[in-house]
Amino acid sequence: MRALIVGCGYVGLELGRQWVTQGVSVSGVRRSEVGAAELLESGIRVVVGDVTQPESMTAWGREWDIVVNAVSSSRGGVDVYRQVYGVGTRNLVGWMREAGVRRYVHLSSTSVYGQTDGGWVTEDSPADPLPETGQVLAATERWILGEATGDLAPTILRVAGIYGPGRGHALQQLLKGEARIQGDGTRWVNMVHRDDVASAIRAVAGASVETVGGKVFNVVDDEPVQQGEFVTWLAREYGLPIPPSATEEENAARKRGLTHKRVDHRRLREATGWAPAYRSFREGYARVSGSRSG
Ligand SMILES: NC(=O)c1ccc[n+]([C@@H]2O[C@H](COP(=O)([O-])OP(=O)(O)OC[C@H]3O[C@@H](n4cnc5c(N)ncnc54)[C@H](OP(=O)(O)O)[C@@H]3O)[C@@H](O)[C@H]2O)c1
């Protein structure tokens, strides 16, 4: 199998590593040669290009069995979202059609669910978020499912908050003494370990088009956790003080667009047999021999 990972960053690199181990021929797209070394070290070929610049795709070649779009906004605002997810996805789909690509995995986000009632959401729940960034993601998904079907057999993965080696916002906040218990601490948080995002993409790639083509799947671990319980557990695990409650001003500043929901992943499990290796934050954040890397 020949796979192209467009946006070969935190998740893409791990996916590439897992695929290379399985004997898949993997190439990864970056916008520049910066970072090429870490791809090459992992046996991933480097392709340079930018999804917002269609002319940069002409040299990407053909005969890819699968293309994974793991491009991120690099923490940009709504304009970057429109460029990278809106325009970039359309450019990518245009190129894939010309290149005869038949399988496409598109990484989206559970931020498309705007629910605030603390209940469970499935892929059939409304995807109508308040923040404009989430709206761009949801509109891009609808465009893919409406316009980019047919030969392309797209699969959309709605990924929860990603953490893992070198990345974990809550732990970094805690280590800096900036973590807070938000509100009454009961807001649900949905997370998934980087390695499990990669294994979910592999599971989808390994499933038949009939099973996963034209479908949406949530990618999240087994156990949503309430924000207060999570930061309290983290503090105990890392031998740090339990964080204080946020002030009213901090809570008010954070409130707009905050969701409160529990994301269900049964559809992905049942369709592909995928299960997260890190079933919950406890396994994923377990302190390893004194390590404090977040
Ligand atoms: N992080 C989360 O918690 C989270 C949650 C839900 C969903 N997701 C989604 O999961 C996917 C992977 O996230 P990640 O954390 O692995 O992202 P990441 O580490 O930021 O990596 C994304 C990659 O995208 C590349 N990129 C950015 N703009 C590009 C462009 N215009 N053209 C081509 N490549 C571009 C970057 O490459 P260079 O900078 O090297 O050029 C980078 O390597 C993304 O689609 C993201 O939206 C993430």
Side-chain angles (χ1 to χ4, degrees):
M1 185 167 88
R2 291 189 67 211
L4 181 68
I5 303 169
V6 183
C8 201
Y10 189 62
V11 167
L13 189 56
E14 175 58 25
L15 170 65
R17 285 189 205 113
Q18 293 186 12
W19 257 337
V20 166
T21 309
Q22 292 186 315
V24 175
S25 168
V26 186
S27 297
V29 175
R30 303 289 284 251
R31 282 171 295 180
S32 70
E33 295 285 347
V34 177
E38 59 180 349
L39 270 66
L40 293 170
E41 274 164 26
S42 302
I44 303 168
R45 285 182 206 86
V46 182
V47 173
V48 174
D50 185 328
V51 292
T52 67
Q53 311 292 328
E55 64 282 2
S56 73
M57 300 173 177
T58 50
W60 288 5
R62 298 176 68 87
E63 293 165 20
W64 302 104
D65 297 302
I66 188 162
V67 171
V68 176
N69 184 357
V71 169
S72 87
S73 64
S74 313
R75 292 175 173 255
V78 67
D79 291 337
V80 179
Y81 270 66
R82 286 199 188 101
Q83 276 302 309
V84 166
Y85 297 112
V87 176
T89 301
R90 284 163 176 77
N91 291 339
L92 188 59
V93 167
W95 167 76
M96 285 191 286
R97 288 223 157 103
E98 281 178 20
V101 175
R102 292 296 175 93
R103 295 289 297 269
Y104 174 50
V105 180
H106 178 90
L107 298 202
S108 184
S109 168
T110 54
S111 66
V112 298
Y113 300 116
Q115 283 79 344
T116 56
D117 62 3
W120 285 94
V121 293
T122 72
E123 294 82 351
D124 295 325
S125 304
D128 188 17
L130 197 56
E132 279 184 274
T133 48
Q135 289 173 22
V136 173
L137 298 181
T140 302
E141 288 187 358
R142 287 194 297 274
W143 182 82
I144 292 169
L145 293 176
E147 302 286 329
T149 46
D151 284 353
L152 202 50
T155 303
I156 292 172
L157 299 182
R158 290 179 179 155
V159 181
I162 302 168
Y163 71 96
R167 198 183 289 183
H169 181 68
L171 181 54
Q172 284 163 11
Q173 295 285 97
L174 193 69
L175 294 172
K176 287 191 277 185
E178 293 172 5
R180 298 286 179 271
I181 294 174
Q182 299 164 1
D184 63 1
T186 59
R187 191 172 79 83
W188 291 105
V189 180
N190 300 275
M191 292 178 271
V192 63
H193 192 282
R194 174 201 65 182
D195 297 4
D196 291 325
V197 183
S199 70
I201 298 166
R202 288 194 297 110
V204 163
S208 68
V209 170
E210 292 70 34
T211 308
V212 299
K215 296 207 173 77
V216 177
F217 297 95
N218 295 331
V219 182
V220 60
D221 69 16
D222 287 349
E223 199 182 312
V225 58
Q226 290 179 304
Q227 193 267 341
E229 181 191 340
F230 174 48
V231 292
T232 302
W233 180 90
L234 262 186
R236 292 210 173 101
E237 178 76 6
Y238 284 79
L240 294 165
I242 307 293
S245 293
T247 62
E248 276 182 33
E249 292 77 40
E250 285 169 333
N251 284 326
R254 196 178 288 109
K255 203 150 183 160
R256 192 184 174 278
L258 268 190
T259 62
H260 179 42
K261 70 211 175 192
R262 285 169 282 170
V263 181
D264 179 293
H265 67 192
R266 268 173 302 178
R267 183 185 285 183
L268 182 62
R269 286 189 94 120
E270 286 164 13
T272 67
W274 172 82
Y278 298 92
R279 296 187 54 246
S280 77
F281 62 96
R282 286 184 212 86
E283 291 77 24
Y285 273 107
R287 193 170 168 186
V288 185
S289 57
S291 153
R292 282 190 170 192
S293 64

